[in-house]
């Protein structure tokens, strides 16, 4: 967080106060350190091109779609404690009940979560994290950030990721046992799974977007706002403005 603060102070662009239209656009983009963010985005693109995309391409080649879907379902099932905690922190009792029912159905009939019979029974998958909880509590997102490896974010969501890490019981167990490699392996597999789910979206941005960075920024903010509203219609013009693009980074397109 100290590093983020230094970046903000060192690279913060001055708002165009004498031009109302330019000021409105500046505030809408919410990207005062755009120059630094674009540099990090270029680094992430290079890393993706050299390592992440080729590894994911091999994964997509050797693993049929149904196997990749099963792995995705299993990873989502492992996140249940984090999702449940945030359901409760947001006061969403109904969604918390669905989360509990989904976990028991998918962990039993769904063979440890590799299958998702709960969805067919009417208990739809949803995702929650502490970044969304902070938003529900009224905490502002702060400026847009592009993080190395992690991709698009903001201070609120970055703090949320840290809290979710410590809330996750798998990480508790690993840190108090001789299984410290488990969270690392899980992170690597989750990263490949996320890149797999984003494959078509990123290909489309790469081929068709004039400014991939701006597309990713808009896409991320639209998706996060949609998740915070739990898919409900925007209730103000600011949210509507953010909803003009279609997921990047982040948890994945199936959430």
């Amino acid at each position: 967080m100290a590093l983020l603060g230094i970046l903000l102070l060192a690279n913060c662009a001055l708002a165009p106060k004498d031009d109302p239209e330019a000021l409105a656009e500046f505030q809408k983009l919410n990207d005062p350190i755009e120059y630094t963010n674009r540099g990090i985005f270029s680094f992430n693109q290079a890393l993706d091109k050299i390592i992440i995309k080729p590894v994911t391409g091999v994964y997509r080649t050797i693993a049929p779609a149904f196997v990749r879907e099963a792995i995705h379902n299993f990873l989502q099932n492992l996140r249940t404690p984090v999702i449940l905690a945030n359901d409760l922190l947001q006061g969403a009792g109904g969604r918390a009940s669905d989360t509990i029912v989904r976990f028991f159905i998918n962990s039993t009939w769904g063979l440890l979560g590799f299958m998702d019979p709960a969805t067919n029974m009417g208990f739809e998958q949803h995702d929650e994290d502490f970044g969304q909880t902070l938003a529900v509590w009224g905490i502002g997102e702060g400026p847009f950030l592009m993080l190395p490896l992690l991709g698009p974010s903001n201070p609120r969501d970055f703090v949320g990721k840290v809290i979710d890490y410590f809330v996750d019981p798998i990480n508790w167990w690993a840190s108090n046992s001789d299984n410290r490699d488990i969270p690392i392996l899980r992170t690597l597999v989750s990263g490949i799974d996320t890149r797999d789910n984003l494959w078509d979206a990123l290909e489309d941005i790469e081929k068709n977007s004039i400014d991939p960075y701006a597309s990713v920024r808009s896409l991320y903010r639209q998706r996060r706002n949609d998740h915070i509203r739990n898919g409900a219609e925007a209730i103000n013009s600011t949210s509507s403005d953010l909803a003009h693009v279609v997921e990047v980074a982040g948890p994945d397109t199936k959430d």
Side-chain angles (χ1 to χ4, degrees), residues 20-204:
E21 291 186 5
L23 177 60
E25 182 65 18
F26 180 88
Q27 293 173 336
K28 177 182 174 181
L29 294 178
N30 193 27
D31 191 0
I33 58 169
E34 181 174 350
Y35 180 80
T36 297
N37 282 334
R38 284 184 178 273
I40 296 173
F41 179 71
S42 296
F43 167 78
N44 287 345
Q45 279 189 309
L47 194 64
D48 181 71
K49 183 177 181 180
I50 295 171
I51 299 176
I52 301 173
K53 184 176 180 180
V55 170
T56 306
V58 172
Y59 172 65
R60 290 169 63 88
T61 299
I62 64 176
F66 75 90
V67 172
R68 303 200 307 271
E69 183 176 0
I71 291 173
H72 173 79
N73 290 338
F74 177 73
L75 292 171
Q76 283 298 109
N77 203 49
L78 288 181
R79 289 199 71 248
T80 297
V82 174
I83 295 172
L84 177 60
N86 284 289
D87 282 335
L88 295 173
L89 288 170
Q90 294 174 32
R95 288 165 70 85
S97 297
D98 286 350
T99 299
I100 294 171
V101 173
R102 279 185 55 83
F103 180 73
F104 280 108
I105 292 175
N106 287 347
S107 297
T108 53
W109 298 341
L111 303 177
L112 300 180
F114 284 103
M115 299 175 65
D116 184 16
T119 294
N120 295 330
M121 297 172 67
F123 299 99
E124 296 289 337
Q125 165 68 33
H126 70 272
D127 199 13
E128 295 292 344
D129 55 60
F130 197 69
Q132 292 170 250
T133 297
L134 290 173
V136 171
W137 290 354
I139 306 299
E141 62 181 331
F144 177 78
L145 298 173
M146 183 64 67
L147 300 177
L149 271 178
L150 297 177
S153 187
N154 56 57
R156 181 184 66 201
D157 288 348
F158 178 72
V159 170
K161 285 182 182 293
V162 175
I163 299 299
D164 285 339
Y165 178 86
F166 288 106
V167 167
D168 196 320
I170 292 178
N171 295 329
W172 296 351
W173 167 72
S175 64
N176 291 287
S177 66
D178 295 326
N179 297 284
R180 297 177 183 273
D181 292 340
I182 297 297
I184 297 175
L185 178 61
R186 179 186 176 189
T187 298
L188 291 174
V189 175
S190 294
I192 294 173
D193 174 67
T194 298
R195 184 61 178 86
D196 176 41
N197 281 278
L198 292 174
W199 187 276
D200 292 336
L202 293 178
E203 287 291 297
D204 183 63

Side-chain angles (χ1 to χ4, degrees), residues 25 29 31 34 37-38 41 45 144 146 151-153 198 200-224 241-249:
E25 182 65 18
L29 294 178
D31 191 0
E34 181 174 350
N37 282 334
R38 284 184 178 273
F41 179 71
Q45 279 189 309
F144 177 78
M146 183 64 67
S153 187
L198 292 174
D200 292 336
L202 293 178
E203 287 291 297
D204 183 63
I205 289 174
E206 183 178 341
K207 293 177 181 178
N208 301 314
S209 177
I210 298 175
D211 185 353
Y213 170 81
S215 296
V216 168
R217 178 180 59 197
S218 294
L219 196 55
Y220 175 77
R221 296 185 68 201
Q222 181 271 334
R223 178 174 177 270
R224 288 302 289 172
D241 287 339
L242 294 176
H244 67 283
V245 206
V246 199
E247 152 169 344
V248 171

